Amino acid sequence: MDPITLAVVGVGKIVRDQHLPAIAKNPDFNLICAASRHGKVEGIDNFTSIEAMLDAVPTLEAVSLCMPPQARYQAAVTALSAGKHVFLEKPPGATLSEVVDLKALAAEKGVTLFASWHSRYAPAVEAAKRFLAGTRIRTLKIEWKEDVRHWHPGQAWIWEAGGLGVFDPGINALSIVTHIMPKPLFVTKAVLEFPENRDAPIGAEINFANADGVEALGEFDWRQTGPQSWNITAETDAGHMLLSHGGSRLAIDGREEDHGPEAEYPSLYARFASLVRGKQSDVDLAPLRLVADSFMLGKRKVTEAFHD
Ligand code: NAP
């Protein structure tokens, strides 16, 4: 089978760190061009807008949209309208409604739309899902605490409305939880902390419940220095589950098994290829819905100004 001709759009940190190496190793894709206002990818044709790229390269079949979420909808409409398959970085958009709109457009055009959630492909996530499926869960806790200055230096969009603030990493935890929980969680209470000079939260405490009576707590914080915490713990009838390091490691009552090396982006591109070949879409909005509900129910607390 011929490789799928692909472009990356929005050439920044995640394109360089993850997309380019994963695409290079996947024979199902041939990266032929890129579109970005400033960024460039060496060795292929570069354009400063997606419109100019689509006009100039009619053989292009698919695009990966890696710009911040506030700018993703317009680029996705342009690509889908031109009959291209679309890979959306997480979060798939700035609002739920715009992604629903994209899903309908992809169906109308007969092309693939893939809302990617990279953390779902972390090595120990499937094992955690299997463990939880076989027991009764009593409580669940998400602890997603990191240092924003270390991980997001100079990223202005992340602090603007639609940038999600602390939910930009936090939605990775929610993408795991929505995948591993046997019954879906919903938000029952939320407190969001906004720096007085920013339009997105720096911290959030979210309470969840589900139809089985499980109560869950999510603590999201961008002010953590020292060791970083990307943990999901559960108290269950079969013991204490710790899914740590962003889904890479799983321990039950302290006993850990090896679940192999990290391969999140290679797995995402394998999934995208199989969706395109199978003429299917995969657009799960559950993680973004929990974030939206947190904003809907959230009590707002103003906290001290944040400076880079
Ligand atoms: P980034 O480097 O700040 O942004 C990516 C590129 O998008 C920028 O270099 C910029 O390129 C373009 N861009 C920025 N603002 C834009 C705007 N308003 N309109 C159009 N293009 C714009 O961010 P990133 O870290 O790569 O993150 C991008 C997306 O990937 C986010 O949704 C993020 O959640 C997700 N992601 C990031 C990471 C990570 O570790 N950084 C991990 C997983 C997923 P030009 O100026 O050249 O247009």
Side-chain angles (χ1 to χ4, degrees):
M1 238 183 284
D2 287 339
I4 301 156
T5 51
L6 177 71
V8 286
V9 185
V11 178
K13 185 172 188 317
I14 197 61
V15 164
R16 295 197 182 93
D17 288 358
Q18 296 289 348
H19 288 257
L20 297 180
I23 296 165
K25 287 197 198 112
N26 188 326
D28 274 319
F29 291 100
N30 182 13
L31 185 72
I32 58 169
C33 49
S36 208
R37 298 163 312 174
H38 311 95
K40 288 194 173 14
V41 178
E42 260 182 51
I44 55 174
D45 288 337
N46 287 274
F47 299 87
T48 52
S49 74
I50 186 168
E51 291 82 3
M53 179 176 74
L54 294 177
D55 279 349
V57 192
T59 53
L60 186 63
E61 293 171 284
V63 296
S64 290
L65 302 183
C66 307
M67 69 285 282
Q70 297 100 321
R72 203 165 294 134
Y73 173 77
Q74 205 46 57
V77 167
T78 304
L80 293 170
S81 301
K84 311 301 175 192
H85 306 292
V86 171
F87 174 127
L88 301 170
E89 247 301 349
K90 52 80 17 184
T95 70
L96 290 165
S97 312
E98 67 184 33
V99 188
V100 170
D101 197 54
L102 295 177
K103 196 175 165 186
L105 182 58
E108 185 190 317
K109 293 286 174 184
V111 293
T112 293
L113 181 66
F114 178 35
S116 72
W117 298 109
H118 65 87
S119 291
R120 285 186 177 172
Y121 295 87
V125 167
E126 288 306 319
K129 184 180 171 91
R130 283 193 299 275
F131 172 75
L132 292 180
T135 183
R136 187 175 72 90
I137 305 163
R138 295 182 205 145
T139 58
L140 185 109
K141 184 166 180 195
I142 302 166
E143 214 189 351
W144 227 251
K145 299 181 178 176
E146 61 176 49
D147 181 355
V148 65
R149 288 189 176 86
H150 178 80
W151 297 104
H152 301 282
Q155 288 188 327
W157 60 266
I158 217 160
W159 290 108
E160 290 163 8
L164 298 191
V166 75
F167 289 113
D168 176 77
I171 203 167
N172 297 332
L174 297 175
S175 75
I176 294 174
V177 164
T178 49
H179 183 67
I180 65 178
M181 280 297 283
K183 284 259 174 70
L185 291 173
F186 50 87
V187 177
T188 56
K189 190 177 163 203
V191 179
L192 310 177
E193 285 183 87
F194 285 74
E196 62 182 15
N197 60 341
R198 303 285 176 164
D199 289 322
I202 194 166
E205 192 171 292
I206 314 294
N207 293 84
F208 307 87
N210 77 0
D212 285 340
V214 175
E215 298 207 337
L217 174 67
E219 292 176 351
F220 305 89
D221 207 313
W222 249 350
R223 293 160 293 198
Q224 174 122 323
T225 52
Q228 308 282 282
S229 316
W230 297 292
N231 301 326
I232 297 167
T233 51
E235 303 307 329
T236 78
D237 284 358
H240 172 82
M241 181 196 90
L242 169 61
L243 181 62
S244 65
H245 298 79
S248 297
R249 289 161 66 168
L250 179 70
I252 309 296
D253 286 335
R255 286 186 306 278
E256 197 172 315
E257 279 177 24
D258 184 11
H259 295 283
E262 190 282 313
E264 294 179 14
Y265 278 76
S267 304
L268 286 180
Y269 275 97
R271 173 81 176 138
F272 187 42
S274 102
L275 290 169
V276 170
R277 304 276 194 218
K279 300 189 187 314
Q280 288 178 320
S281 286
D282 176 356
V283 185
D284 180 9
L285 285 171
L288 188 60
R289 198 162 52 228
L290 289 177
V291 172
D293 287 352
S294 299
F295 278 99
M296 284 178 83
L297 269 189
K299 189 174 162 62
R300 190 185 175 108
K301 270 171 66 177
V302 176
T303 182
E304 68 180 275
F306 175 84
H307 301 288
D308 282 322

